[in-house]
Amino acid sequence: MPGIERPGPLYKQVAAAIRDAITSGEFPPGSPLPSEAQLIERYQVSRPTVRNAVAALRAEGLIDVIHGKGSFVRRLPAPTLTIERTVTRKAGAYTTGQTDWQETEAPSVTRATTTETTGPALGLDEGEDLFSVDRLLTDPATGTRILHRVLLPLAVAADHDELAENPATAPEEIYALLAAAGHKLTWTETVRARMPLPDERTTLELPDATPIIETTRVTHGNDDTPLLLEELRAAADRAQLAYRIKADNPRGLRAVRS
């Protein structure tokens, strides 16, 4: 049996052999897999074994099953959306690379507390009070959905009447308020890829086995004090991130003057 030499359940051995054929280019992206009958003949296994193998590869995201047409190797298209992760300041106003995004629904504002992850990023202990502002955004050019969350500590909001009254103030406007209050702003950002939670998969309308990219941006004020945390999540197969990097910038992301 071609490629069936590994230990373990037989369907996993068949899945590994098909995976090897995909990786080697024998079954290129977008091409149909051989029929069930052909796979049975090729690997000398039963129909249930082939079906379980194909199901395993589908769960991995390597195969798409189209009803009435069969199984196809998933294409790997170039991301359709480039997200510019820059901050630009001009005449006291701030802009980011997401000014054209549309709000799919009104922002959701809730009272929350810092976690073991967000607390240290904000320079706070776990369990400190903050506002959590969630937005579902859509890029009008591609239809790509983006989840954006702002975590605003109550202590920061209390120092600015506009934020205390309206925690859902747009991030660019928050930057301007903080700068007007005397803060010299800088930003740090981290990026990671992970598999989505069930609610993220539904909201972002993700295909099976599709990871997301997640950015975490912290706005720092005077004395490098963390003031604001933003999280952005988008489908990793539809979006890519772009950064402007300056050689004289040891901290990473800072406002770009124009």
Side-chain angles (χ1 to χ4, degrees), residues 53-75:
V54 171
L57 294 173
R58 183 184 182 187
E60 292 178 18
L62 290 178
I63 289 176
D64 288 321
V65 177
I66 302 176
H67 182 68
K69 294 185 177 181
S71 300
F72 294 79
V73 179
R74 176 172 285 188
R75 294 182 183 274

Side-chain angles (χ1 to χ4, degrees), residues 16-34:
I18 297 173
R19 190 186 302 109
D20 288 345
I22 293 172
T23 302
S24 69
E26 181 180 354
F27 304 148
S31 68
L33 282 185

